[in-house]
Amino acid sequence: MRRREFLATGVAALGVTGFPAVLRAQPAPVKIGLIHPVTGFIAFSGTQSRAGAQMAIEEINAAGGIKSLGGAMLEAVLGDSQGKPELGAAEVTKMVEAGVHGIVAGYSSAISLATSQEAAKTNTPHVVDVGVADDIMNRGLTNTFRFAPGYSKIASAAVANLDTINKAAGSPAKTALVVHEESLFGTGSAKLLSVELPKIGIEVVDVIKHANPTRDFTNIVLQIKSKKPDIIIPANYYNEYILFARTLQQQKVEAKAIYSVLGGAASNYQFVKEFPDVADQIMDCNHWFNPKSELALARKKAAEAKGLVYTYEVFLTYNAVAYLADAIERAGSTDKEKVIAALADSTWDQHGMPYGATKVENGQNIGAKPVNTQILNNDIEVIYPAEFASAEAVFPMKSNA
Amino acid sequence: MPDLAIVVPSLLNGITTGALYALVALGLTLIYGVLHIINFAHGALLMIGLYAVYFLNVQFGVDPYAALLIVPPLMFAIGYALQRGIITRSSHGRDENILLATLGLSIVIENLALYFFKSDTRIIDTPYSFETVEVLGAFLPLPKVIAFFGALATAALFWLVMARTDLGKAIRALAKERKGAALVGIDTEHVYAMSFGLGIACLGVAACLLLPSYYVTPQVGHGFILIAFTIVVLGGMGSFVGALLGGFTIGIVEAMGGLFLGESLGQIGIFLIFILVLIFRPAGLLGHKA
């Protein structure tokens, strides 16, 4: 009898203490679809984006997951678009069938256009991480949100900031030449710049479009040399940017500024580390974190501790995931309509960006804005606007010779 | 209309860039032109060569030109092993199997590179990366000038091997009449593998001469593979001088096309010339009629 009593008591005790953790239903994971070009010609950027997203998921899970859903863990569902919009769209279809609760995609504008359109068919919440084309947000898709700025905002900020920097130096720059890659991002940026630059008194002497990949930039640089623009404005991806910047130096091109708009390399620590001489004094108007934010600096440190180069793809995609997770948290549900409503009325401010609290209009965070950076003393400094600046702009460029 | 002052520098640049293209195409002309193996893995193997040069430089401080003593023999060994171990075994003598085997190889190699090296763009910095040579008012990057002479020397070396050595004679015999070559005692499997190895070794040379002015990623071969096939057909299959000539032609057409038609549209010129040559000289510029 004593043995039976002991067993019965033991079982009862386990039922009270030990078993609940096992028997009580674990909250179902919240599945987040991540679609990025981790292979193909923009694989570097896609891999960086994926790393940023995974970092956000790890940190949110480590902090207890989605608390309003009983501590549900975020679960990444990974997709590779290979740099192709149609494959990105196909990944969305697969993910929706797999039951994802939201999608973060797809690094490039062309891919984001396709993934958001496909996600709209099932009203799946979709946050665009990096894609800057205005068209992504202009189609009236109620499922699509973008935390970062679009390129009309970036281009107009780039032009306005350039005007301020130029005027502060006594307006030495009168002409500019735009070199851009041929996809939606480069072409769209170039078109906007061509319209906006003359409004601040800078004549656009030429606009040169190039293919991806371009194996040799000498021809383009020779054309630049013959036109002698005061400012060279590149808008292209990392591999082409490297070759372009190297060729500028090889051909001894002198300009008052190399002023990138969303330049793949001028806001890239890897480029600065590998080519300090080439990178020196290059300016960029780009996505960048607030260098005066403790949160932003802590995230940078955490990313670098993981061996990541802290490019804008990393922190933009981190924020896209965290913004979606915050919406699910506030919605207290994975119901698509509720998550979409929470994304639309977000006032999230834990992003470390120079944006202020989120304010969404038609899916676009209207507080999002780029800043101007410049490579100075082998580091990337924010030079404009003044409230976020960590250094003074050097303009015109001082000769490296 | 472009400034005439940049036509000559652009032309010279086209020639030196063409030399780099020719270097990549030289190996292919042996493999594709002589052995009739459509090697879709050519770009992926070039990538292996570039990574080899990169890691030798970064890990051991080996200059890319000094790596010429290491990388081409290494690539030869890889090529020899691939031909004997995979391509011959999987082909069972059928051309379509070879095509699929090399395509499969390229996918496997690229994905392995992605796994091991990640998709980072890697570049080396040498003391002469930014050195230039002034020719007719044009600043030609020193690495490209070296690549130009390297391409000439490699083509000459290949020609010598093919024309003056027993191996060259065996390769040519095998290309013309496989059964006949086997009947006179040529070890066909060995010669096939030697030829493939030599073609891949040539990519090793190209990698050493290319990296001082280029970058490497797992996908880097894509930018060269179509150009290399075009050059081989344009120059005449199996002709090393033709490959050089084809490379220079493509380099010049690309440069001039970019100058006069715009950088994006200029690429059309390459394929326009290619189609014209195929119409009027189906065997290529220096190819022999079948």
Side-chain angles (χ1 to χ4, degrees):
Chain A
M1 280 297 285
R2 288 187 63 146
R3 190 164 157 263
R4 279 187 184 172
E5 273 171 17
F6 172 77
L7 280 173
T9 313
V11 168
L14 271 173
V16 175
T17 57
F19 277 172
V22 180
L23 297 179
R24 195 194 302 141
Q26 288 289 306
V30 176
K31 293 182 183 177
I32 307 289
L34 304 174
I35 303 170
H36 294 105
V38 291
T39 58
F41 81 104
I42 42 175
F44 173 75
S45 300
T47 310
Q48 291 288 97
S49 282
R50 180 184 275 185
Q54 287 176 320
M55 192 178 152
I57 288 174
E58 278 169 27
E59 289 186 6
I60 292 164
N61 285 342
I66 305 292
K67 295 179 187 75
S68 63
L69 292 175
M73 292 287 122
L74 294 181
E75 181 183 306
V77 180
L78 302 176
D80 179 11
S81 67
Q82 299 175 30
K84 296 168 186 163
E86 67 279 10
L87 292 185
E91 288 289 350
V92 171
T93 311
K94 270 163 50 185
M95 286 182 176
V96 169
E97 282 170 9
V100 294
H101 301 107
I103 286 173
V104 173
Y107 173 66
S108 93
S109 293
I111 299 167
S112 302
L113 273 167
T115 54
S116 53
Q117 187 84 41
E118 190 61 33
K121 291 178 186 167
T122 49
N123 204 31
T124 304
H126 182 296
V127 180
V128 174
D129 43 21
V130 184
V132 287
D134 292 335
D135 288 346
I136 298 171
M137 305 310 301
N138 289 345
R139 294 168 299 164
L141 300 180
T142 52
N143 69 315
T144 305
F145 296 84
R146 183 165 60 193
F147 191 69
Y151 70 34
S152 64
K153 183 146 192 175
I154 295 166
S156 60
V159 173
N161 295 354
L162 176 62
D163 190 33
T164 308
I165 292 166
N166 192 29
K167 278 180 179 153
S171 300
K174 310 271 187 242
T175 58
L177 187 147
V178 182
V179 176
H180 70 93
E181 60 85 37
E182 64 182 352
S183 81
L184 196 57
F185 144 61
T187 310
S189 304
K191 203 179 279 182
L192 280 166
L193 288 167
S194 303
V195 173
E196 297 297 323
L197 284 169
K199 292 179 186 168
I200 61 163
I202 292 181
E203 181 199 353
V204 179
V205 291
D206 205 353
V207 176
I208 302 176
K209 180 163 82 170
H210 66 77
N212 294 313
T214 289
R215 292 171 291 267
D216 182 64
F217 272 90
T218 313
N219 228 18
I220 291 174
V221 170
L222 286 171
Q223 291 175 62
I224 294 173
K225 219 172 165 183
S226 77
K227 303 243 158 102
K228 297 187 177 66
D230 292 328
I231 302 173
I232 299 163
I233 304 184
N236 37 28
Y237 293 115
Y238 188 67
N239 288 348
E240 278 65 39
Y241 197 100
I242 290 173
L243 289 183
F244 179 56
R246 290 184 94 172
T247 314
L248 281 175
Q249 184 158 353
Q250 267 167 349
Q251 294 296 327
K252 303 176 178 26
V253 174
E254 287 182 1
K256 292 188 172 67
I258 298 170
Y259 187 91
S260 313
V261 178
L262 293 166
S267 299
N268 187 322
Y269 287 109
Q270 189 176 339
F271 184 71
V272 180
K273 190 176 140 204
E274 289 180 349
F275 296 101
D277 294 340
V278 179
D280 191 37
Q281 299 174 57
I282 288 181
M283 284 196 256
D284 195 6
C285 183
N286 211 332
H287 310 286
W288 205 247
F289 56 85
N290 175 3
K292 294 180 178 173
S293 157
E294 292 294 329
L295 178 69
L297 295 175
R299 272 192 198 145
K300 177 172 180 275
K301 203 172 162 189
E304 286 170 348
K306 285 173 179 286
L308 281 172
V309 180
Y310 206 53
T311 58
Y312 63 76
E313 293 93 343
V314 174
F315 55 79
L316 284 191
T317 314
Y318 182 109
N319 278 328
V321 169
Y323 164 57
L324 175 61
D326 174 72
I328 296 169
E329 180 73 78
R330 285 184 296 104
S333 165
T334 50
D335 177 77
K336 289 172 179 174
E337 289 293 346
K338 287 179 182 164
V339 174
I340 286 172
L343 282 164
D345 68 7
S346 175
T347 52
W348 186 57
D349 60 1
Q350 296 300 299
H351 43 67
M353 301 295 286
Y355 296 177
T358 313
K359 189 177 177 196
V360 177
E361 276 182 18
N362 299 323
Q364 173 65 50
N365 175 18
I366 58 167
K369 59 188 170 196
V371 297
N372 276 42
T373 55
Q374 187 169 26
I375 297 167
L376 297 168
N377 302 319
N378 300 339
D379 204 354
I380 297 172
E381 304 283 1
V382 172
I383 53 164
Y384 201 83
E387 58 188 303
F388 305 112
S390 53
E392 289 272 316
V394 176
F395 176 80
M397 280 172 94
K398 288 174 190 152
S399 171
N400 290 322
Chain B
M1 192 66 189
D3 189 340
L4 281 178
I6 63 171
V7 172
V8 173
S10 187
L11 190 68
L12 289 172
N13 176 59
I15 293 169
T16 50
T17 306
L20 285 169
Y21 295 165
L23 263 172
V24 179
L26 274 173
L28 196 64
T29 204
L30 181 66
I31 295 166
Y32 177 41
V34 179
L35 302 178
H36 310 295
I37 292 175
I38 300 173
N39 179 24
F40 276 118
H42 204 66
L45 289 164
L46 171 67
M47 175 262 292
I48 290 184
L50 287 164
Y51 271 114
V53 181
Y54 173 82
F55 283 114
L56 279 171
N57 181 267
V58 172
Q59 302 289 331
F60 306 107
V62 178
D63 185 88
Y65 299 134
L68 278 166
L69 297 172
I70 305 167
V71 177
L74 180 75
M75 295 295 284
F76 173 83
I78 290 172
Y80 189 95
L82 280 179
Q83 172 64 22
R84 282 210 96 145
I86 294 177
I87 296 174
T88 304
R89 278 167 189 261
S90 60
S91 70
H92 302 289
R94 296 175 64 172
D95 286 350
E96 62 270 30
N97 288 357
I98 293 179
L99 190 141
L100 288 173
T102 56
L103 188 62
L105 258 182
S106 78
I107 294 168
V108 169
I109 293 169
E110 276 182 22
N111 282 288
L112 283 174
L114 261 176
Y115 180 78
F116 286 111
F117 308 138
K118 310 296 176 215
S119 52
D120 299 6
T121 302
R122 296 166 197 255
I123 285 190
I124 56 164
D125 207 3
T126 61
Y128 47 81
S129 285
F130 295 99
E131 292 291 320
T132 50
V133 180
E134 200 174 345
V135 182
L136 299 172
F139 292 107
L140 294 174
L142 183 62
K144 275 186 164 182
V145 175
I146 293 172
F148 172 78
F149 289 109
L152 294 182
T154 311
L157 192 65
F158 263 63
W159 180 83
L160 270 176
V161 169
M162 293 298 282
R164 298 273 187 261
T165 65
D166 288 345
L167 175 65
K169 284 175 194 162
I171 292 172
R172 283 186 287 138
L174 202 62
K176 282 205 168 135
E177 182 52 63
R178 185 179 176 167
K179 279 185 183 164
L183 282 172
V184 295
I186 293 173
D187 180 350
T188 55
E189 293 306 320
H190 173 68
V191 175
Y192 258 108
M194 287 295 285
S195 312
F196 199 84
L198 279 178
I200 304 306
C202 192
L203 282 181
V205 176
C208 294
L209 298 177
L210 193 58
L211 202 61
S213 55
Y214 210 68
Y215 59 82
V216 56
T217 69
Q219 295 85 19
V220 71
H222 295 189
F224 290 93
I225 188 79
L226 189 60
I227 287 283
F229 273 109
T230 310
I231 289 169
V232 169
V233 178
L234 187 68
M237 289 198 205
S239 167
F240 299 112
V241 183
L244 268 185
L245 197 62
F248 293 144
T249 308
I250 295 290
I252 293 167
V253 168
E254 188 179 51
M256 292 295 109
L259 208 56
F260 289 96
L261 299 174
E263 289 306 320
S264 204
L265 204 58
Q267 300 278 324
I268 289 173
I270 296 172
F271 299 102
L272 200 64
I273 290 280
F274 180 62
I275 291 165
L276 287 174
V277 169
L278 281 183
I279 291 171
F280 295 107
R281 271 195 74 86
L285 294 172
L286 295 182
H288 301 293
K289 283 182 185 169

